[in-house]
Amino acid sequence: MNPLNPRRAAIFGAGAFGSWTALELARRGALVELFDGWGAGNPRASSGGETRVIRATYGSHAVYTRMAARALALWRNHERRYGQGLLRTSGALWLFHRVEPFAAASAAALRAVGLHLDELDLIEARRRYPQIDFSGVASVLFEPDAGYLFASRACRHVVSCLVAEGGRYVQAAAVPPLQIGGPVERVALSDGSSVEADVFVFACGPWLGSIFPDVIGSLVTATRQEVHYFGPPPGDTRFNDDRLPVWLDFGERFMYGIPSVADGGFKVADDTPGPPMDPTTDDRVPGVERVAAIRSFLKKRFPALGDAPLVRSEVCQYENTPDANFIIDRHPAASNVWIVGGGSGHGFKMGPAIGEIVAAQVLGESEPDPTFGLARFTSPPAGGWAAKWS
């Protein structure tokens, strides 16, 4: 076996990171098997749920702007090839409650990759979007290339592409924990079988800590995130995505939402990491207190929806790292084992770009970026959740 050109690749996790990595490796000639314990984009996965925002605004974190720009180009290519309607370019409206360095830094980083961030004065913002109450907003930016993605559906579609192009998909999981002291040849599976491969990629989201308790452990922690959908009044189209973009309210808390999609409702969520949760066993029932807090926000920012009925909710999780940066690195004790995760609530949109990055590293075409390396955790990380928005 040539370790720089493996013939057989086993990928664990059929979410955004794992499924795109599997597809990219298959397209580069590897024999790929993809595994997931509950299925691609399942409700317990970090890539589950209906939709995700796609945007390239990351302040001074230009590495993510570049990655998001590449991911956007790949999503567009995928749409042209398959026509699945997974990407909706509605634009994104940023509402800032005060002057934010994040805005100027984001604009500069976007220009560097050929994208735009337009400033709207409040008069123009109110004219364009009368359904929004801009009270307390100091500045407004519009990101025209942003929008949203259909999450679970995208995961399932990417897996179907993998199978159509010769890969294999199996509903099974790796048996934790993995104690690794050198190159790995075989991994035991939850169905009692095992898989042999030349290279193994673990993109297992919030389960990475239990799979690698010695290497990851609490470096990836799952937090409970509630997402709520409210029903606009009958016949009211002001909250559809042809009249309202994705919106992000950058205030004391970071609130965001996606306009109504078909009859799915108006999505509202709080990006702040919630309490810890067990992604395997915890119930996913929304809390009354969070619904009340969201309603209070709606009454202020979208008055016409202040008393709108809650039509459904989702409880998913973020898989957070201490500094909100991803993990993309070799296992320190095994050169043929890769660990990919730590999406920290902003990873889904990066899936196609992550697939390229991981495939190139697995095939020896590039080396890991220290930004995403495990070695960074040898000293106390800085930034935390705020790193996404600084």
Side-chain angles (χ1 to χ4, degrees):
M1 180 194 75
N2 178 356
L4 298 183
N5 188 20
R7 288 185 62 250
R8 301 169 301 166
I11 317 298
F12 293 92
F17 289 4
S19 63
W20 283 104
T21 295
L23 182 59
E24 186 65 23
L25 280 168
R27 287 175 172 174
R28 296 184 184 208
L31 300 177
V32 175
E33 290 185 281
L34 175 64
F35 301 87
D36 195 287
W38 289 291
N42 69 84
R44 282 186 274 200
S46 297
S47 295
E50 184 177 39
T51 53
R52 295 290 190 280
V53 173
I54 181 167
R55 45 91 187 176
T57 36
Y58 272 93
S60 60
H61 295 261
V63 63
Y64 286 120
T65 295
R66 293 191 297 270
M67 189 185 292
R70 177 58 181 163
L72 177 61
L74 292 170
W75 279 110
R76 287 171 172 169
N77 290 342
H78 194 83
E79 283 295 279
R80 283 191 288 269
R81 180 173 179 178
Y82 295 102
Q84 293 293 302
L86 301 174
L87 168 67
R88 299 288 287 267
T89 307
S90 64
L93 194 69
W94 290 83
L95 311 180
F96 295 95
H97 293 209
R98 57 185 179 273
V99 176
E100 291 283 355
F102 171 86
S106 294
L110 284 164
R111 285 194 299 270
V113 296
L115 299 176
H116 303 283
L117 192 61
D118 303 324
E119 185 172 1
L120 301 181
D121 64 43
L122 286 172
I123 294 175
E124 175 63 12
R126 291 187 178 100
R127 185 192 69 79
R128 287 193 194 184
Y129 308 111
Q131 61 274 69
I132 300 176
D133 185 336
F134 288 92
S135 299
V137 174
S139 63
V140 180
L141 297 176
F142 182 68
E143 186 180 354
D145 296 294
Y148 61 96
L149 301 156
F150 288 94
S152 292
R153 189 152 63 88
C155 293
R156 293 191 295 270
H157 177 67
V158 174
V159 171
S160 73
C161 291
L162 170 71
V163 173
E165 296 184 30
R168 181 169 179 255
Y169 170 69
V170 180
Q171 187 167 328
V175 177
L178 269 64
Q179 302 296 336
I180 296 177
V184 174
E185 296 181 355
R186 181 193 303 265
V187 169
L189 301 176
S190 57
D191 62 4
S193 66
S194 63
V195 57
E196 295 182 2
D198 301 320
V199 66
F200 299 85
V201 178
F202 291 86
C204 304
W207 294 278
L208 283 172
S210 60
I211 293 173
F212 300 107
D214 53 342
V215 174
I216 299 298
S218 62
L219 292 177
V220 173
T221 58
T223 58
R224 175 188 172 91
Q225 307 297 141
E226 293 190 14
V227 178
H228 304 288
Y229 297 82
F230 293 85
D236 190 341
T237 62
R238 293 175 297 166
F239 302 97
N240 293 354
D241 68 352
D242 58 347
R243 297 184 62 183
L244 185 69
V246 166
W247 54 270
L248 307 103
D249 193 296
F250 202 120
E252 183 177 342
R253 300 182 74 87
F254 188 82
M255 309 293 293
Y256 73 94
I258 294 176
S260 295
V261 183
D263 59 352
F266 183 80
K267 178 178 178 177
V268 187
D270 185 342
D271 188 64
T272 309
M277 72 173 294
D278 186 313
T280 302
T281 62
D282 279 6
D283 290 334
R284 294 173 184 258
V285 179
V288 174
E289 301 84 1
R290 292 307 308 148
V291 174
I294 295 294
R295 282 196 182 280
S296 178
F297 170 81
L298 281 175
K299 288 178 182 290
K300 175 182 177 182
R301 189 64 70 212
F302 299 92
L305 297 179
D307 296 315
L310 177 68
V311 294
R312 60 192 176 97
S313 296
E314 297 169 349
V315 177
C316 57
Q317 73 273 323
Y318 289 169
E319 34 157 321
N320 302 292
T321 63
D323 59 4
N325 289 323
F326 306 152
I327 295 173
I328 307 173
D329 204 357
R330 291 186 185 92
H331 190 287
S335 60
N336 70 331
V337 174
W338 292 81
I339 300 172
V340 183
S344 300
H346 65 117
F348 183 89
K349 61 185 170 293
M350 305 293 195
I354 295 288
E356 284 190 333
I357 290 168
V358 177
Q361 293 179 13
V362 165
L363 297 175
E365 299 168 5
S366 65
E367 287 298 313
D369 184 334
T371 303
F372 310 122
L374 290 166
R376 75 185 194 264
F377 297 117
T378 59
S379 58
W385 171 79
K388 288 194 286 181
W389 314 115
S390 60

PDB file of all heavy atoms in Angstrom, residues 162-196:
ATOM      1  N   LEU A 162     -22.679   9.624  -4.297  1.00  0.00           N
ATOM      2  CA  LEU A 162     -21.574   8.718  -3.990  1.00  0.00           C
ATOM      3  C   LEU A 162     -21.884   7.305  -4.474  1.00  0.00           C
ATOM      4  O   LEU A 162     -21.051   6.666  -5.144  1.00  0.00           O
ATOM      5  CB  LEU A 162     -21.316   8.710  -2.490  1.00  0.00           C
ATOM      6  CG  LEU A 162     -20.353   7.626  -1.984  1.00  0.00           C
ATOM      7  CD1 LEU A 162     -18.933   7.934  -2.417  1.00  0.00           C
ATOM      8  CD2 LEU A 162     -20.436   7.493  -0.463  1.00  0.00           C
ATOM      9  N   VAL A 163     -23.067   6.809  -4.151  1.00  0.00           N
ATOM     10  CA  VAL A 163     -23.436   5.452  -4.543  1.00  0.00           C
ATOM     11  C   VAL A 163     -23.512   5.338  -6.064  1.00  0.00           C
ATOM     12  O   VAL A 163     -23.044   4.356  -6.660  1.00  0.00           O
ATOM     13  CB  VAL A 163     -24.767   5.053  -3.881  1.00  0.00           C
ATOM     14  CG1 VAL A 163     -25.258   3.706  -4.409  1.00  0.00           C
ATOM     15  CG2 VAL A 163     -24.601   5.000  -2.363  1.00  0.00           C
ATOM     16  N   ALA A 164     -24.072   6.353  -6.719  1.00  0.00           N
ATOM     17  CA  ALA A 164     -24.176   6.334  -8.177  1.00  0.00           C
ATOM     18  C   ALA A 164     -22.809   6.331  -8.846  1.00  0.00           C
ATOM     19  O   ALA A 164     -22.656   5.819  -9.968  1.00  0.00           O
ATOM     20  CB  ALA A 164     -24.987   7.538  -8.654  1.00  0.00           C
ATOM     21  N   GLU A 165     -21.808   6.882  -8.156  1.00  0.00           N
ATOM     22  CA  GLU A 165     -20.471   6.962  -8.735  1.00  0.00           C
ATOM     23  C   GLU A 165     -19.546   5.863  -8.222  1.00  0.00           C
ATOM     24  O   GLU A 165     -18.327   5.950  -8.338  1.00  0.00           O
ATOM     25  CB  GLU A 165     -19.886   8.340  -8.467  1.00  0.00           C
ATOM     26  CG  GLU A 165     -20.681   9.445  -9.159  1.00  0.00           C
ATOM     27  CD  GLU A 165     -20.077  10.830  -9.008  1.00  0.00           C
ATOM     28  OE1 GLU A 165     -18.838  10.938  -8.890  1.00  0.00           O
ATOM     29  OE2 GLU A 165     -20.858  11.808  -9.025  1.00  0.00           O
ATOM     30  N   GLY A 166     -20.131   4.811  -7.643  1.00  0.00           N
ATOM     31  CA  GLY A 166     -19.355   3.632  -7.313  1.00  0.00           C
ATOM     32  C   GLY A 166     -19.007   3.456  -5.856  1.00  0.00           C
ATOM     33  O   GLY A 166     -18.398   2.433  -5.479  1.00  0.00           O
ATOM     34  N   GLY A 167     -19.348   4.422  -4.990  1.00  0.00           N
ATOM     35  CA  GLY A 167     -19.089   4.269  -3.566  1.00  0.00           C
ATOM     36  C   GLY A 167     -20.126   3.368  -2.908  1.00  0.00           C
ATOM     37  O   GLY A 167     -21.151   3.030  -3.496  1.00  0.00           O
ATOM     38  N   ARG A 168     -19.847   3.011  -1.670  1.00  0.00           N
ATOM     39  CA  ARG A 168     -20.755   2.144  -0.923  1.00  0.00           C
ATOM     40  C   ARG A 168     -21.185   2.859   0.345  1.00  0.00           C
ATOM     41  O   ARG A 168     -20.365   3.493   1.008  1.00  0.00           O
ATOM     42  CB  ARG A 168     -20.051   0.833  -0.571  1.00  0.00           C
ATOM     43  CG  ARG A 168     -20.906  -0.183   0.187  1.00  0.00           C
ATOM     44  CD  ARG A 168     -20.224  -1.538   0.243  1.00  0.00           C
ATOM     45  NE  ARG A 168     -21.014  -2.516   0.980  1.00  0.00           N
ATOM     46  CZ  ARG A 168     -20.743  -2.928   2.207  1.00  0.00           C
ATOM     47  NH1 ARG A 168     -19.667  -2.467   2.857  1.00  0.00           N
ATOM     48  NH2 ARG A 168     -21.517  -3.820   2.808  1.00  0.00           N
ATOM     49  N   TYR A 169     -22.480   2.762   0.656  1.00  0.00           N
ATOM     50  CA  TYR A 169     -23.009   3.376   1.871  1.00  0.00           C
ATOM     51  C   TYR A 169     -23.604   2.293   2.755  1.00  0.00           C
ATOM     52  O   TYR A 169     -24.367   1.434   2.281  1.00  0.00           O
ATOM     53  CB  TYR A 169     -24.082   4.420   1.547  1.00  0.00           C
ATOM     54  CG  TYR A 169     -24.813   4.894   2.775  1.00  0.00           C
ATOM     55  CD1 TYR A 169     -24.164   5.663   3.732  1.00  0.00           C
ATOM     56  CD2 TYR A 169     -26.143   4.542   2.988  1.00  0.00           C
ATOM     57  CE1 TYR A 169     -24.826   6.078   4.879  1.00  0.00           C
ATOM     58  CE2 TYR A 169     -26.810   4.951   4.125  1.00  0.00           C
ATOM     59  CZ  TYR A 169     -26.144   5.720   5.062  1.00  0.00           C
ATOM     60  OH  TYR A 169     -26.793   6.105   6.199  1.00  0.00           O
ATOM     61  N   VAL A 170     -23.259   2.324   4.050  1.00  0.00           N
ATOM     62  CA  VAL A 170     -23.728   1.326   5.012  1.00  0.00           C
ATOM     63  C   VAL A 170     -24.246   2.042   6.250  1.00  0.00           C
ATOM     64  O   VAL A 170     -23.586   2.946   6.770  1.00  0.00           O
ATOM     65  CB  VAL A 170     -22.586   0.370   5.424  1.00  0.00           C
ATOM     66  CG1 VAL A 170     -23.089  -0.661   6.435  1.00  0.00           C
ATOM     67  CG2 VAL A 170     -21.993  -0.322   4.206  1.00  0.00           C
ATOM     68  N   GLN A 171     -25.429   1.647   6.724  1.00  0.00           N
ATOM     69  CA  GLN A 171     -25.931   2.216   7.970  1.00  0.00           C
ATOM     70  C   GLN A 171     -25.374   1.410   9.130  1.00  0.00           C
ATOM     71  O   GLN A 171     -25.900   0.372   9.527  1.00  0.00           O
ATOM     72  CB  GLN A 171     -27.455   2.235   8.011  1.00  0.00           C
ATOM     73  CG  GLN A 171     -27.984   2.987   9.229  1.00  0.00           C
ATOM     74  CD  GLN A 171     -29.468   3.296   9.149  1.00  0.00           C
ATOM     75  OE1 GLN A 171     -30.001   3.510   8.068  1.00  0.00           O
ATOM     76  NE2 GLN A 171     -30.125   3.320  10.294  1.00  0.00           N
ATOM     77  N   ALA A 172     -24.271   1.900   9.657  1.00  0.00           N
ATOM     78  CA  ALA A 172     -23.579   1.290  10.798  1.00  0.00           C
ATOM     79  C   ALA A 172     -22.631   2.345  11.341  1.00  0.00           C
ATOM     80  O   ALA A 172     -22.302   3.325  10.664  1.00  0.00           O
ATOM     81  CB  ALA A 172     -22.812   0.032  10.380  1.00  0.00           C
ATOM     82  N   ALA A 173     -22.195   2.147  12.571  1.00  0.00           N
ATOM     83  CA  ALA A 173     -21.304   3.100  13.224  1.00  0.00           C
ATOM     84  C   ALA A 173     -20.055   2.392  13.714  1.00  0.00           C
ATOM     85  O   ALA A 173     -20.051   1.175  13.938  1.00  0.00           O
ATOM     86  CB  ALA A 173     -22.017   3.776  14.396  1.00  0.00           C
ATOM     87  N   ALA A 174     -18.984   3.153  13.900  1.00  0.00           N
ATOM     88  CA  ALA A 174     -17.785   2.624  14.531  1.00  0.00           C
ATOM     89  C   ALA A 174     -18.065   2.381  16.011  1.00  0.00           C
ATOM     90  O   ALA A 174     -18.798   3.135  16.652  1.00  0.00           O
ATOM     91  CB  ALA A 174     -16.633   3.603  14.370  1.00  0.00           C
ATOM     92  N   VAL A 175     -17.519   1.323  16.550  1.00  0.00           N
ATOM     93  CA  VAL A 175     -17.718   0.988  17.958  1.00  0.00           C
ATOM     94  C   VAL A 175     -16.717   1.785  18.804  1.00  0.00           C
ATOM     95  O   VAL A 175     -15.513   1.625  18.656  1.00  0.00           O
ATOM     96  CB  VAL A 175     -17.533  -0.519  18.201  1.00  0.00           C
ATOM     97  CG1 VAL A 175     -17.664  -0.826  19.690  1.00  0.00           C
ATOM     98  CG2 VAL A 175     -18.558  -1.322  17.402  1.00  0.00           C
ATOM     99  N   PRO A 176     -17.214   2.662  19.678  1.00  0.00           N
ATOM    100  CA  PRO A 176     -16.292   3.426  20.530  1.00  0.00           C
ATOM    101  C   PRO A 176     -15.955   2.654  21.803  1.00  0.00           C
ATOM    102  O   PRO A 176     -16.697   1.727  22.167  1.00  0.00           O
ATOM    103  CB  PRO A 176     -17.108   4.679  20.857  1.00  0.00           C
ATOM    104  CG  PRO A 176     -18.531   4.193  20.863  1.00  0.00           C
ATOM    105  CD  PRO A 176     -18.599   3.104  19.826  1.00  0.00           C
ATOM    106  N   PRO A 177     -14.870   3.050  22.477  1.00  0.00           N
ATOM    107  CA  PRO A 177     -13.855   4.008  22.018  1.00  0.00           C
ATOM    108  C   PRO A 177     -12.805   3.316  21.173  1.00  0.00           C
ATOM    109  O   PRO A 177     -12.654   2.092  21.234  1.00  0.00           O
ATOM    110  CB  PRO A 177     -13.255   4.499  23.335  1.00  0.00           C
ATOM    111  CG  PRO A 177     -13.349   3.301  24.236  1.00  0.00           C
ATOM    112  CD  PRO A 177     -14.622   2.594  23.853  1.00  0.00           C
ATOM    113  N   LEU A 178     -12.069   4.109  20.381  1.00  0.00           N
ATOM    114  CA  LEU A 178     -10.964   3.575  19.606  1.00  0.00           C
ATOM    115  C   LEU A 178      -9.663   3.909  20.315  1.00  0.00           C
ATOM    116  O   LEU A 178      -9.353   5.080  20.532  1.00  0.00           O
ATOM    117  CB  LEU A 178     -10.941   4.180  18.194  1.00  0.00           C
ATOM    118  CG  LEU A 178     -11.716   3.417  17.104  1.00  0.00           C
ATOM    119  CD1 LEU A 178     -13.204   3.382  17.413  1.00  0.00           C
ATOM    120  CD2 LEU A 178     -11.462   4.042  15.751  1.00  0.00           C
ATOM    121  N   GLN A 179      -8.934   2.899  20.702  1.00  0.00           N
ATOM    122  CA  GLN A 179      -7.621   3.082  21.309  1.00  0.00           C
ATOM    123  C   GLN A 179      -6.584   2.839  20.221  1.00  0.00           C
ATOM    124  O   GLN A 179      -6.432   1.713  19.741  1.00  0.00           O
ATOM    125  CB  GLN A 179      -7.433   2.116  22.487  1.00  0.00           C
ATOM    126  CG  GLN A 179      -8.485   2.262  23.577  1.00  0.00           C
ATOM    127  CD  GLN A 179      -8.439   3.613  24.271  1.00  0.00           C
ATOM    128  OE1 GLN A 179      -7.405   4.289  24.291  1.00  0.00           O
ATOM    129  NE2 GLN A 179      -9.560   4.032  24.845  1.00  0.00           N
ATOM    130  N   ILE A 180      -5.899   3.876  19.812  1.00  0.00           N
ATOM    131  CA  ILE A 180      -5.014   3.798  18.659  1.00  0.00           C
ATOM    132  C   ILE A 180      -3.578   4.035  19.088  1.00  0.00           C
ATOM    133  O   ILE A 180      -3.267   5.058  19.715  1.00  0.00           O
ATOM    134  CB  ILE A 180      -5.432   4.824  17.587  1.00  0.00           C
ATOM    135  CG1 ILE A 180      -6.833   4.474  17.061  1.00  0.00           C
ATOM    136  CG2 ILE A 180      -4.431   4.863  16.439  1.00  0.00           C
ATOM    137  CD1 ILE A 180      -7.370   5.460  16.058  1.00  0.00           C
ATOM    138  N   GLY A 181      -2.708   3.087  18.738  1.00  0.00           N
ATOM    139  CA  GLY A 181      -1.298   3.236  19.054  1.00  0.00           C
ATOM    140  C   GLY A 181      -0.417   3.159  17.836  1.00  0.00           C
ATOM    141  O   GLY A 181       0.809   3.053  17.952  1.00  0.00           O
ATOM    142  N   GLY A 182      -1.000   3.200  16.665  1.00  0.00           N
ATOM    143  CA  GLY A 182      -0.252   3.111  15.418  1.00  0.00           C
ATOM    144  C   GLY A 182      -1.221   3.040  14.259  1.00  0.00           C
ATOM    145  O   GLY A 182      -2.438   3.176  14.449  1.00  0.00           O
ATOM    146  N   PRO A 183      -0.718   2.827  13.043  1.00  0.00           N
ATOM    147  CA  PRO A 183      -1.606   2.744  11.872  1.00  0.00           C
ATOM    148  C   PRO A 183      -2.722   1.723  12.074  1.00  0.00           C
ATOM    149  O   PRO A 183      -2.515   0.657  12.672  1.00  0.00           O
ATOM    150  CB  PRO A 183      -0.656   2.331  10.745  1.00  0.00           C
ATOM    151  CG  PRO A 183       0.676   2.855  11.173  1.00  0.00           C
ATOM    152  CD  PRO A 183       0.698   2.705  12.667  1.00  0.00           C
ATOM    153  N   VAL A 184      -3.898   2.059  11.586  1.00  0.00           N
ATOM    154  CA  VAL A 184      -5.089   1.231  11.773  1.00  0.00           C
ATOM    155  C   VAL A 184      -5.365   0.433  10.502  1.00  0.00           C
ATOM    156  O   VAL A 184      -5.265   0.964   9.391  1.00  0.00           O
ATOM    157  CB  VAL A 184      -6.298   2.117  12.136  1.00  0.00           C
ATOM    158  CG1 VAL A 184      -7.583   1.299  12.194  1.00  0.00           C
ATOM    159  CG2 VAL A 184      -6.061   2.824  13.461  1.00  0.00           C
ATOM    160  N   GLU A 185      -5.716  -0.831  10.669  1.00  0.00           N
ATOM    161  CA  GLU A 185      -6.062  -1.678   9.530  1.00  0.00           C
ATOM    162  C   GLU A 185      -7.538  -2.042   9.510  1.00  0.00           C
ATOM    163  O   GLU A 185      -8.099  -2.304   8.452  1.00  0.00           O
ATOM    164  CB  GLU A 185      -5.228  -2.957   9.550  1.00  0.00           C
ATOM    165  CG  GLU A 185      -3.728  -2.717   9.390  1.00  0.00           C
ATOM    166  CD  GLU A 185      -2.940  -4.013   9.383  1.00  0.00           C
ATOM    167  OE1 GLU A 185      -3.565  -5.085   9.605  1.00  0.00           O
ATOM    168  OE2 GLU A 185      -1.715  -3.956   9.178  1.00  0.00           O
ATOM    169  N   ARG A 186      -8.185  -2.048  10.671  1.00  0.00           N
ATOM    170  CA  ARG A 186      -9.562  -2.532  10.775  1.00  0.00           C
ATOM    171  C   ARG A 186     -10.283  -1.776  11.888  1.00  0.00           C
ATOM    172  O   ARG A 186      -9.689  -1.464  12.920  1.00  0.00           O
ATOM    173  CB  ARG A 186      -9.560  -4.025  11.065  1.00  0.00           C
ATOM    174  CG  ARG A 186     -10.916  -4.683  11.174  1.00  0.00           C
ATOM    175  CD  ARG A 186     -10.780  -6.080  11.782  1.00  0.00           C
ATOM    176  NE  ARG A 186      -9.871  -6.909  11.012  1.00  0.00           N
ATOM    177  CZ  ARG A 186     -10.235  -7.752  10.058  1.00  0.00           C
ATOM    178  NH1 ARG A 186     -11.527  -7.849   9.755  1.00  0.00           N
ATOM    179  NH2 ARG A 186      -9.358  -8.480   9.415  1.00  0.00           N
ATOM    180  N   VAL A 187     -11.572  -1.482  11.672  1.00  0.00           N
ATOM    181  CA  VAL A 187     -12.410  -0.846  12.688  1.00  0.00           C
ATOM    182  C   VAL A 187     -13.670  -1.678  12.865  1.00  0.00           C
ATOM    183  O   VAL A 187     -14.329  -2.054  11.885  1.00  0.00           O
ATOM    184  CB  VAL A 187     -12.777   0.601  12.289  1.00  0.00           C
ATOM    185  CG1 VAL A 187     -13.859   1.174  13.202  1.00  0.00           C
ATOM    186  CG2 VAL A 187     -11.544   1.496  12.319  1.00  0.00           C
ATOM    187  N   ALA A 188     -14.005  -1.971  14.122  1.00  0.00           N
ATOM    188  CA  ALA A 188     -15.213  -2.733  14.430  1.00  0.00           C
ATOM    189  C   ALA A 188     -16.446  -1.864  14.241  1.00  0.00           C
ATOM    190  O   ALA A 188     -16.442  -0.668  14.554  1.00  0.00           O
ATOM    191  CB  ALA A 188     -15.153  -3.259  15.864  1.00  0.00           C
ATOM    192  N   LEU A 189     -17.537  -2.483  13.758  1.00  0.00           N
ATOM    193  CA  LEU A 189     -18.778  -1.778  13.478  1.00  0.00           C
ATOM    194  C   LEU A 189     -19.889  -2.223  14.421  1.00  0.00           C
ATOM    195  O   LEU A 189     -19.851  -3.311  14.996  1.00  0.00           O
ATOM    196  CB  LEU A 189     -19.205  -2.024  12.031  1.00  0.00           C
ATOM    197  CG  LEU A 189     -18.221  -1.595  10.944  1.00  0.00           C
ATOM    198  CD1 LEU A 189     -18.749  -2.001   9.578  1.00  0.00           C
ATOM    199  CD2 LEU A 189     -17.964  -0.098  11.003  1.00  0.00           C
ATOM    200  N   SER A 190     -20.896  -1.367  14.541  1.00  0.00           N
ATOM    201  CA  SER A 190     -21.997  -1.609  15.481  1.00  0.00           C
ATOM    202  C   SER A 190     -22.855  -2.800  15.105  1.00  0.00           C
ATOM    203  O   SER A 190     -23.591  -3.320  15.949  1.00  0.00           O
ATOM    204  CB  SER A 190     -22.875  -0.356  15.565  1.00  0.00           C
ATOM    205  OG  SER A 190     -23.356  -0.001  14.274  1.00  0.00           O
ATOM    206  N   ASP A 191     -22.793  -3.258  13.858  1.00  0.00           N
ATOM    207  CA  ASP A 191     -23.584  -4.423  13.452  1.00  0.00           C
ATOM    208  C   ASP A 191     -22.851  -5.739  13.680  1.00  0.00           C
ATOM    209  O   ASP A 191     -23.324  -6.799  13.267  1.00  0.00           O
ATOM    210  CB  ASP A 191     -24.019  -4.296  11.993  1.00  0.00           C
ATOM    211  CG  ASP A 191     -22.840  -4.251  11.018  1.00  0.00           C
ATOM    212  OD1 ASP A 191     -21.679  -4.401  11.467  1.00  0.00           O
ATOM    213  OD2 ASP A 191     -23.074  -4.070   9.812  1.00  0.00           O
ATOM    214  N   GLY A 192     -21.696  -5.663  14.337  1.00  0.00           N
ATOM    215  CA  GLY A 192     -20.929  -6.863  14.638  1.00  0.00           C
ATOM    216  C   GLY A 192     -19.873  -7.205  13.610  1.00  0.00           C
ATOM    217  O   GLY A 192     -19.041  -8.087  13.842  1.00  0.00           O
ATOM    218  N   SER A 193     -19.883  -6.522  12.487  1.00  0.00           N
ATOM    219  CA  SER A 193     -18.875  -6.744  11.458  1.00  0.00           C
ATOM    220  C   SER A 193     -17.722  -5.771  11.656  1.00  0.00           C
ATOM    221  O   SER A 193     -17.635  -5.076  12.684  1.00  0.00           O
ATOM    222  CB  SER A 193     -19.492  -6.576  10.068  1.00  0.00           C
ATOM    223  OG  SER A 193     -19.890  -5.233   9.863  1.00  0.00           O
ATOM    224  N   SER A 194     -16.839  -5.686  10.690  1.00  0.00           N
ATOM    225  CA  SER A 194     -15.742  -4.728  10.742  1.00  0.00           C
ATOM    226  C   SER A 194     -15.405  -4.297   9.326  1.00  0.00           C
ATOM    227  O   SER A 194     -15.842  -4.921   8.345  1.00  0.00           O
ATOM    228  CB  SER A 194     -14.511  -5.339  11.427  1.00  0.00           C
ATOM    229  OG  SER A 194     -14.031  -6.446  10.686  1.00  0.00           O
ATOM    230  N   VAL A 195     -14.640  -3.239   9.213  1.00  0.00           N
ATOM    231  CA  VAL A 195     -14.227  -2.744   7.908  1.00  0.00           C
ATOM    232  C   VAL A 195     -12.717  -2.601   7.890  1.00  0.00           C
ATOM    233  O   VAL A 195     -12.111  -2.107   8.839  1.00  0.00           O
ATOM    234  CB  VAL A 195     -14.912  -1.396   7.565  1.00  0.00           C
ATOM    235  CG1 VAL A 195     -14.637  -0.336   8.618  1.00  0.00           C
ATOM    236  CG2 VAL A 195     -14.476  -0.900   6.191  1.00  0.00           C
ATOM    237  N   GLU A 196     -12.120  -3.056   6.800  1.00  0.00           N
ATOM    238  CA  GLU A 196     -10.703  -2.873   6.563  1.00  0.00           C
ATOM    239  C   GLU A 196     -10.529  -1.778   5.512  1.00  0.00           C
ATOM    240  O   GLU A 196     -11.309  -1.689   4.567  1.00  0.00           O
ATOM    241  CB  GLU A 196     -10.061  -4.164   6.067  1.00  0.00           C
ATOM    242  CG  GLU A 196     -10.066  -5.295   7.078  1.00  0.00           C
ATOM    243  CD  GLU A 196      -9.372  -6.543   6.543  1.00  0.00           C
ATOM    244  OE1 GLU A 196      -8.859  -6.485   5.410  1.00  0.00           O
ATOM    245  OE2 GLU A 196      -9.343  -7.546   7.265  1.00  0.00           O
TER     246      GLU A 196
END
